[in-house]
Amino acid sequence: MNPQKILPFYRNLCAAIGIASDARHFGAAARDTLVPHPLLRRSLENDPAMDAILTSGGAHYALGSFQDAPFMLRAPGLIQLSSTLIFDPAALSAAARWGLEAHHARESSGEKLRLSRLARYGRALIDALDDPSRERLLAVTDPAVRAALLNGIPDRIDDDVLRWLARLVGVDYRPGEPDFVGEPTELCYPMEHILASGGDSRLLIDRRTGSNRYGVPPRPRPEAVHFSSSTASAITDYGFSLCDLLRRDLLAAVSDGSLSEQDARSRLAEAIGQRILGLFGLNGSESDVAITPSGTDSELLAVLVGLAGAGGKPLVNVLIAPDESGTGVRAAASGRWSNDTDAAGVRISKGTAVWPDARIAVREIPIRDPRGRPLPAAAVNRRFLETCRACLAEGHHLLVHVLMSSKTDLYAPDFEAVTELVAERGESIDVVVDACQLRANFQILGELVRKGCMVQVTGSKFLTGPPFSGALLLPASMRSRAPAIADALKRSPAVAALADWLADWRPPPAPSACHRSYGPLFRWLPALIEASLFLELPEDFRLEIASRFRDALLAKMSASRYLHPLTLVEPPTTELAKVIAQHSILSFAVLGKRDSGELSPLNEAECRHLFELLNKDVASLLQPISAVEEALARQPVHIGQPVTLGSAETPTTVLRLVLGARFFTIVGQADTEIAREAALESEIADATRAIAKVELLASYWWRVASNPDAMKPR
């Protein structure tokens, strides 16, 4: 990505926060200038995280002796790396990133840098390495320092570690001097740590795989094929680089006293919130936004807003096909915890009531028949109106959902039905639009907020930001509920913090933001960048390339023995439900070959295993296979996770190949017409390979299913 296309966004963000932007080096120098040694350069580029930030740090890298372990700052802007690490990209990257952090600390703090923070940064990098790479990184380090770094960083950093770091960085160490200590801040940890923080257990990273439970690492993953923007996407290299640049700029402002820790986070939350509103054509005078760790958390907040408007009446939450919106939606919709940890990582009891005294019931409206076929819109609208009117007659307050793009690209109910209902009993109804997939016209979503609807959105689905990032948009008319909501959040602070709401919702004195993670805020940054790039492209162009892609993939699926594409349904034609890219979700059932040679549909458990195996090197599970098949088996592929449609008696489980904003950015932001054509053909080829790997696994399913290692849950 051309840096000049995204730097204006970043500079405007820094201006809104009130910090200096150190983006002058971002993409300014060529890689061979920054790293003249060809082998060193190739080794650094082999690590995706280091490759992403290589040209944004303003430092040069040189190959040093075996004794320069793991790095040395030889001169301002010159980082020397140990020759010991040259054939270990992971260890070399950790040394280079540690050195780069030291370089920036020297630039922003001079002699008064906080070595304890630098020690924590390095320790986190070390912790992410496997055992052989750790050993290489610290091979020639003093035994006492080596032991301290391998055993973790305690609250009080050992003098031996600080003295050793001072020598590497080139400053004099004065034990006990205040400038060399300081309270740790989340900003002093590597970007991967922040991107995986401030969420529930779904964000936890499995040390064996380096990924969360959805198969996504908190760093770029260029080696994988990505068509998973209905589930979760790995961060882009430019998204990761800008996040790390923002972390360093914020840390510099906190370190030099320009901002307090509380002000830094509060200003960032306000700036991100205002940009989320701007994405939908909204401003702070007509609407508000609460930033949440995930879409599920935005549902819990919508329930809270509904309770505040119910005035003591029982609340009925009318959900549209929760199986096609999110795994934790049912629990959150009933005011219950959907996970066993909260956003701060504290253990909670999954399934228990968040507000035990609240009276909350859930009614569900299906959008498919028992065989998984879409119901006619008229039937869905009729069921919706009948259910809502019956609840209103019983004296309930309603929280009514409108689903704008399910997991399989369905929309329900029609807005005409919702408008009819609100006209009858608007004072007893709150409307929340579930647009978490964000496969809808952004300006229309903004209009819905102006008309009094809440809107749930995420940056981690269509916008392809890192998982998880959610937000709840609220009309200004709901500000009268702020005191009741603030009181409920005091009683259940694990739900959310007013620190992540716009300023109008924060009662004086301003709530402390220091203990809140930066994670949900940083995860929105790449999504907002992607959105800005996407919206620069003409709509006709977006529809043209989406149609070409869809037609090519449907032809491939339709000709397959092993894939049955789900029957497509035309999206609503009304302006209120106009989709950004028609049919951006291609759903398909998979037929696996059994021992008998017959083909039969994979069930939900089998599709879950297939989904996980696609993301791995499975060549060893399928041997003997041809050389072409082996290359395909080694290719990591990430697509949309399984969804089961229909009733328990006649279920159909489908996988999904999904287009997100990144597809349009890759193709549309190419510099020339021939480059755009090359990019589109490459995307189609990647998707074709994804389908081919599904077919490969399906063709050997009898062998995969009989292999106990292959079928173990991850």
Side-chain angles (χ1 to χ4, degrees):
M1 178 60 60
N2 185 340
Q4 299 310 313
K5 293 182 178 180
I6 53 181
L7 279 179
F9 177 95
Y10 182 74
R11 291 193 174 106
N12 289 336
L13 178 68
C14 288
I17 299 169
I19 60 174
S21 167
D22 189 23
R24 65 188 186 278
H25 301 299
F26 194 83
R31 289 167 178 263
D32 56 356
T33 299
L34 297 175
V35 195
H37 193 286
L39 180 57
L40 178 62
R41 184 171 63 253
R42 286 198 296 271
S43 191
L44 288 173
E45 290 173 339
N46 275 336
D47 182 86
M50 185 63 219
D51 183 52
I53 64 175
L54 186 61
T55 62
S56 66
H60 291 70
Y61 301 88
L63 193 62
S65 71
F66 289 106
Q67 297 305 312
D68 292 331
F71 71 90
M72 294 286 287
L73 288 190
R74 290 298 187 190
L78 177 59
I79 302 167
Q80 206 153 353
L81 301 171
S82 172
S83 302
T84 310
L85 310 177
I86 192 67
F87 292 111
D88 188 335
L92 185 69
S93 170
R97 292 177 66 184
W98 202 353
L100 183 60
E101 191 73 5
H103 160 66
H104 287 294
R106 281 294 305 269
E107 275 202 331
S108 61
S109 306
E111 293 288 321
K112 297 182 178 181
L113 81 166
R114 288 170 169 81
L115 289 170
S116 59
R117 292 184 177 179
L118 193 55
R120 288 185 170 87
Y121 184 88
R123 179 61 187 87
L125 291 172
I126 292 169
D127 190 54
L129 297 173
D130 60 24
D131 289 340
S133 292
R134 280 198 202 103
E135 291 297 328
R136 290 190 191 95
L137 187 72
L138 301 174
V140 295
T141 305
D142 177 87
V145 172
R146 181 174 175 278
L149 290 171
L150 290 177
N151 290 333
I153 295 293
D155 292 337
R156 173 72 172 86
I157 309 299
D158 188 87
D159 278 348
D160 288 337
V161 174
L162 297 178
R163 186 177 292 105
W164 173 75
L165 267 180
R167 180 177 62 83
L168 298 185
V169 176
V171 298
D172 294 329
Y173 177 56
R174 298 179 291 276
E177 186 158 330
D179 284 331
F180 283 86
V181 291
E183 291 299 318
T185 164
E186 194 177 44
L187 296 171
C188 74
Y189 289 96
M191 199 64 244
E192 293 93 327
H193 175 93
I194 298 174
L195 291 175
S197 298
D200 56 43
S201 64
R202 292 173 293 175
L203 271 176
L204 294 177
I205 303 302
D206 185 332
R207 287 187 60 87
R208 297 170 302 165
T209 64
S211 300
N212 61 28
R213 70 170 62 172
Y214 292 106
V216 178
R219 62 201 331 250
R221 196 184 182 210
E223 72 277 11
V225 169
H226 295 279
F227 289 100
S228 58
S229 63
S230 62
T231 300
S233 303
I235 190 171
T236 60
D237 53 356
Y238 49 89
F240 187 88
S241 182
L242 276 187
C243 279
D244 199 52
L245 182 59
L246 177 61
R247 177 193 66 82
R248 297 197 311 259
D249 284 342
L250 284 169
L251 182 58
V254 172
S255 297
D256 68 15
S258 301
L259 287 179
S260 69
E261 181 80 13
Q262 178 173 329
D263 282 344
R265 195 190 181 285
S266 294
R267 291 189 186 189
L268 177 60
E270 186 77 14
I272 293 291
Q274 292 290 355
R275 276 148 186 78
I276 293 173
L277 290 181
L279 183 60
F280 304 100
L282 298 167
N283 60 61
S285 67
E286 58 191 352
S287 57
D288 298 297
V289 61
I291 298 171
T292 64
S294 71
T296 305
D297 293 284
S298 73
E299 174 65 26
L300 202 54
L301 280 189
V303 170
L304 176 55
V305 175
L307 288 171
K313 290 182 181 180
L315 179 70
V316 173
N317 195 343
V318 182
L319 284 181
I320 311 298
D323 286 334
E324 290 206 43
S325 54
T327 53
V329 167
R330 274 197 179 92
S334 61
R336 298 181 180 276
W337 295 113
S338 61
N339 204 275
D340 52 9
T341 62
D342 65 18
V346 177
R347 297 286 297 182
I348 52 179
S349 298
K350 183 177 181 179
T352 58
V354 178
W355 303 284
D357 297 333
R359 292 177 292 172
I360 306 170
V362 174
R363 301 288 185 270
E364 297 183 12
I365 309 296
I367 57 177
R368 293 183 180 275
D369 68 15
R371 295 179 62 185
R373 298 172 300 191
L375 291 167
V380 175
N381 293 338
R382 185 169 56 251
R383 174 79 173 269
F384 169 78
L385 289 171
E386 289 172 352
T387 300
C388 292
R389 286 168 176 154
C391 293
L392 289 168
E394 295 172 1
H396 300 303
H397 187 86
L398 297 189
L399 178 62
V400 170
H401 280 67
V402 177
L403 183 58
M404 288 192 73
S405 185
S406 71
K407 289 182 177 181
T408 55
D409 218 4
L410 295 181
Y411 295 68
D414 287 343
F415 274 96
E416 288 80 359
V418 178
T419 301
E420 179 182 334
L421 187 69
V422 171
E424 295 172 3
R425 292 284 300 277
E427 74 284 354
S428 297
I429 300 169
D430 289 320
V431 179
V432 57
V433 178
D434 180 352
C436 284
Q437 287 282 337
L438 262 187
R439 299 176 196 280
N441 184 287
F442 295 174
Q443 296 302 310
I444 289 173
L445 292 177
E447 283 300 318
L448 291 173
V449 175
R450 292 189 187 96
K451 292 178 179 180
C453 299
M454 293 181 279
V455 176
Q456 300 166 323
V457 297
T458 69
S460 52
K461 299 295 191 294
F462 178 78
L463 293 185
T464 60
F468 294 80
S469 55
L472 180 67
L473 310 180
L474 302 106
S477 59
M478 289 184 168
R479 287 175 184 167
S480 60
R481 306 184 190 186
I485 291 171
D487 182 64
L489 290 178
K490 286 179 183 176
R491 289 183 279 117
S492 296
V495 174
L498 288 176
D500 290 339
W501 297 56
L502 290 189
D504 286 307
W505 286 76
R506 303 176 199 155
S512 173
C514 291
H515 68 288
R516 306 294 299 184
S517 171
Y518 284 88
L521 308 180
F522 271 89
R523 291 194 289 273
W524 262 107
L525 177 59
L528 291 170
I529 293 167
E530 212 67 54
S532 68
L533 294 170
F534 170 80
L535 291 174
E536 290 176 0
L537 304 174
E539 184 175 8
D540 288 347
F541 174 79
R542 299 194 303 247
L543 291 174
E544 177 192 349
I545 62 174
S547 296
R548 283 184 58 186
F549 178 92
R550 183 184 69 246
D551 292 347
L553 271 295
L554 281 177
K556 175 71 175 175
M557 288 182 182
S558 299
S560 173
R561 294 180 60 204
Y562 303 101
L563 276 62
H564 279 185
L566 201 65
T567 302
L568 292 176
V569 178
E570 288 298 320
T573 56
T574 60
E575 280 299 307
L576 281 178
K578 187 177 181 182
V579 291
I580 288 177
Q582 294 178 330
H583 300 327
S584 58
I585 302 176
L586 298 177
S587 304
F588 55 93
V590 180
L591 305 180
K593 182 180 286 187
R594 309 295 178 173
D595 286 335
S596 63
E598 296 181 3
L599 300 181
S600 63
L602 301 190
N603 60 32
E604 183 173 9
E606 290 175 314
C607 281
R608 173 66 57 182
H609 288 304
L610 177 62
F611 168 76
E612 293 179 349
L613 292 174
L614 284 172
N615 214 10
K616 300 176 180 178
D617 178 351
V618 295
S620 62
L621 300 176
L622 304 180
Q623 295 296 341
I625 53 178
S626 70
V628 172
E629 289 176 325
E630 182 165 348
L632 191 59
R634 294 189 184 283
Q635 172 64 56
V637 170
H638 199 210
I639 64 174
Q641 64 181 331
V643 179
T644 297
L645 312 172
S647 66
E649 291 74 28
T650 56
T652 298
T653 301
V654 296
L655 291 166
R656 297 164 296 155
L657 196 146
V658 192
L659 288 184
R662 192 180 304 175
F663 163 81
F664 298 93
T665 297
I666 290 170
V667 179
Q669 293 292 347
D671 291 331
T672 64
E673 183 176 350
I674 191 66
R676 288 189 287 273
E677 185 67 19
L680 176 58
E681 290 296 337
S682 296
E683 290 295 301
I684 292 173
D686 269 349
T688 301
R689 283 194 295 151
I691 291 173
K693 186 166 182 180
V694 174
E695 292 176 312
L696 176 65
L697 285 165
S699 69
Y700 285 101
W701 194 251
W702 54 274
R703 188 183 298 172
V704 173
S706 65
N707 187 317
D709 292 330
M711 300 300 285
K712 282 180 182 176
R714 199 158 49 89

